[in-house]
């Protein structure tokens, strides 16, 4: 695949862009990054509640897209975001399990004036708890939960992407929500 | 609708009744109007939902920064060897039928026959009672000739 102009690529669906990226089309990659970086950042931040962690995850997600695009196989109508979301959540879990020291240039900017540092620390702890709880879920439950509970996909769309019936998706969600509620009960002031 | 049904619906469809199937949502609304327990259940679930509705996320790294870092690493050339091999076998064969699958099957069969032949020739027990070709075929199918010859005992 050649490299059509970026402008022309803006209208292309994700599956076409992925095919371009697999063939080494840099402009296709740029278009995909422009399209999904905010979505991936939002998800990573909602899971980790840590700006630095979320930025690293965004970076790593797209690094994987670029280096492993040939491994991607379209399973549906080209909704690449679900694939990116799955990678992002798995990366968050990996990073929690294998914390690494951060270089000085990786340390995020100080909080904006007026931002409550205590609240920020509390947010990070919530993020760690959420990530840890997500790690306890089997892969398909985790994906179902991520798409429906965090990304607010409809059950039908998530079932379509996962390649299961809506009923099967709902069973995954029931189990995932029960587990997550149990794991995070103290954060809700709720008993499991 | 019972309280248990309602709780099951919350797990299945989420806390927003707009996401529930119409008929079930109507019953859930009726229950909510009558039951303080049901309303308390919704409050609990809303607290759960709020855990995943974090404050507005900060801006993502710039596109240029993402591109610069992501493309700095070498791209993976092609796929795993096994995937390439499988693709080679099935490639360029309409509907998966072609000389490559046939050649692969023939090779597999030949190896099975050869193994069976050698096993049958070397086995003092199996050979007299079991013709070599039969032993080879059985071996190809399920390894039973090898088993008879005691090759699989270890």
């Amino acid at each position: 695949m050649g490299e059509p102009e970026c402008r022309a690529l803006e209208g292309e669906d994700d599956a076409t862009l992925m095919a371009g990226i697999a063939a080494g089309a840099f402009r296709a990659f740029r278009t995909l990054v422009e399209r999904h970086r905010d979505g991936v950042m939002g998800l990573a931040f909602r899971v980790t509640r840590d700006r630095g962690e979320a930025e690293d995850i965004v970076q790593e997600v797209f690094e994987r897209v670029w280096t492993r695009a040939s491994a991607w196989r379209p399973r549906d109508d080209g909704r690449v975001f679900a694939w990116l979301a799955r990678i992002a959540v798995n990366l968050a879990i990996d990073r929690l399990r294998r914390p690494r020291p951060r270089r000085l240039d990786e340390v995020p900017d100080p909080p904006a004036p007026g931002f409550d540092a205590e609240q920020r620390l509390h947010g990070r702890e919530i993020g760690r708890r959420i990530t840890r709880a997500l790690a306890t879920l089997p892969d398909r439950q985790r994906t179902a939960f991520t798409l429906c509970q965090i990304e607010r996909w409809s059950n039908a769309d998530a079932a379509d992407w996962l390649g299961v019936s809506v009923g099967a998706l709902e069973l995954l969600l029931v189990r995932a929500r029960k587990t997550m509620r149990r794991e995070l009960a103290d954060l809700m002031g709720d008993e499991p | 609708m019972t309280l248990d049904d309602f709780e099951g619906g919350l797990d299945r469809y989420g806390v927003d009744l707009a996401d529930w199937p119409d008929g079930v949502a109507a019953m859930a609304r009726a229950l909510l109007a009558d039951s303080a327990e049901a309303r308390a259940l919704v409050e609990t679930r809303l607290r759960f939902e709020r855990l995943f509705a974090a404050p507005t996320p900060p801006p993502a790294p710039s596109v240029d920064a993402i591109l610069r870092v992501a493309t700095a690493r070498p791209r993976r050339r092609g796929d795993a060897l096994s995937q390439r091999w499988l693709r080679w076998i099935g490639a360029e064969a309409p509907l998966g039928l072609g000389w490559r699958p046939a050649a692969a099957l023939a090779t597999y069969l030949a190896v099975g026959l050869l193994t069976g032949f050698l096993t049958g020739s070397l086995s003092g027990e199996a050979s007299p009672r079991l013709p070599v070709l039969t032993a080879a075929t059985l071996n190809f199918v399920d390894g039973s000739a090898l088993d008879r010859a005691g090759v699989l005992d270890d």
Side-chain angles (χ1 to χ4, degrees):
Chain A
M1 174 175 163
E3 285 196 25
E5 291 300 319
C6 268
R7 197 172 187 82
L9 287 174
E10 283 172 11
E12 296 293 348
D13 63 25
D14 287 349
T16 305
L17 293 178
M18 286 302 295
I21 296 166
F26 183 77
R27 286 175 179 168
F29 184 45
R30 170 178 279 276
T31 304
L32 193 88
V33 170
E34 286 171 349
R35 189 175 291 174
H36 290 301
R37 74 185 169 118
D38 287 338
V40 176
M41 181 70 184
L43 171 63
F45 186 69
R46 278 194 292 278
V47 169
T48 63
R49 301 287 186 95
D50 183 306
R51 178 177 183 166
E53 285 287 313
E55 286 176 345
D56 287 351
I57 288 169
V58 171
Q59 193 67 64
E60 209 167 329
V61 165
F62 286 109
E63 191 178 302
R64 288 195 182 194
V65 170
W66 178 249
T67 57
R68 303 181 189 184
S70 59
W72 183 76
R73 298 284 177 270
R75 287 197 306 180
D76 58 356
D77 55 356
R79 262 177 271 182
V80 171
F81 181 76
W83 181 57
L84 302 180
R86 193 158 168 264
I87 295 173
V89 171
N90 286 340
L91 282 173
I93 291 168
D94 287 347
R95 295 173 71 86
L96 188 75
R97 286 173 177 161
R98 292 193 297 274
R100 62 186 177 85
R102 305 182 77 182
R103 296 193 313 268
L104 193 58
D105 59 351
E106 290 180 318
V107 175
D109 295 335
F115 191 93
D116 185 347
E118 190 179 337
Q119 192 177 13
R120 178 173 168 154
L121 282 173
H122 181 59
R124 282 185 184 168
E125 179 54 29
I126 290 177
R128 276 192 285 271
R129 292 287 310 279
I130 289 175
T131 308
R132 206 172 291 141
L134 284 168
T136 65
L137 298 178
D139 186 57
R140 280 151 64 90
Q141 285 185 36
R142 183 161 60 236
T143 303
F145 187 86
T146 301
L147 295 178
C148 295
Q149 184 71 51
I150 305 179
E151 287 301 313
R152 312 298 302 168
W153 281 30
S154 71
N155 289 4
D157 283 349
D160 187 38
W161 192 83
L162 275 167
V164 299
S165 68
V166 174
L169 181 277
E170 287 170 357
L171 280 181
L172 291 173
L173 274 178
V174 167
R175 290 171 185 158
R177 281 176 168 139
K178 279 183 178 166
T179 302
M180 292 296 285
R181 273 206 319 279
R182 189 177 63 239
E183 294 288 325
L184 302 173
D186 58 310
L187 296 181
M188 300 185 294
D190 181 30
E191 293 304 320
Chain B
M1 174 180 277
T2 66
L3 199 61
D4 283 344
D5 295 335
F6 181 65
E7 189 170 12
L10 290 172
D11 281 333
R12 192 172 285 260
Y13 312 118
V15 78
D16 188 349
L17 292 184
D19 294 334
W20 291 40
D22 290 341
V24 189
M27 288 189 283
R29 284 193 189 91
L31 181 70
L32 275 173
D34 291 339
S35 167
E37 284 177 300
R39 291 193 292 274
L41 208 48
V42 168
E43 277 304 312
T44 306
R45 296 305 170 89
L46 282 173
R47 285 201 294 274
F48 178 69
E49 298 260 325
R50 280 195 284 270
L51 283 176
F52 304 98
T56 310
S62 74
V63 174
D64 287 337
I66 292 173
L67 295 176
R68 190 175 56 249
V69 175
T71 56
R73 295 189 64 175
R75 285 164 64 83
R76 179 183 283 187
R77 286 285 170 206
D79 301 324
L81 183 62
S82 59
Q83 288 178 327
R84 274 186 287 165
W85 171 243
L86 286 172
R87 197 174 302 150
W88 182 83
I89 288 177
E92 299 164 12
L95 301 176
L97 302 172
W99 68 270
R100 284 174 179 172
L105 183 62
T107 304
Y108 186 58
L109 184 61
V111 170
L113 286 170
L114 182 64
T115 309
F117 177 80
L118 291 174
T119 308
S121 300
L122 295 172
S123 165
E125 287 182 21
S127 302
R129 298 196 301 269
L130 202 61
V132 168
L133 189 58
T134 306
T137 306
L138 286 173
N139 179 50
F140 174 74
V141 172
D142 64 357
S144 59
L146 288 172
D147 191 31
R148 284 164 198 262
V151 175
L152 302 179
D153 286 350
D154 295 331

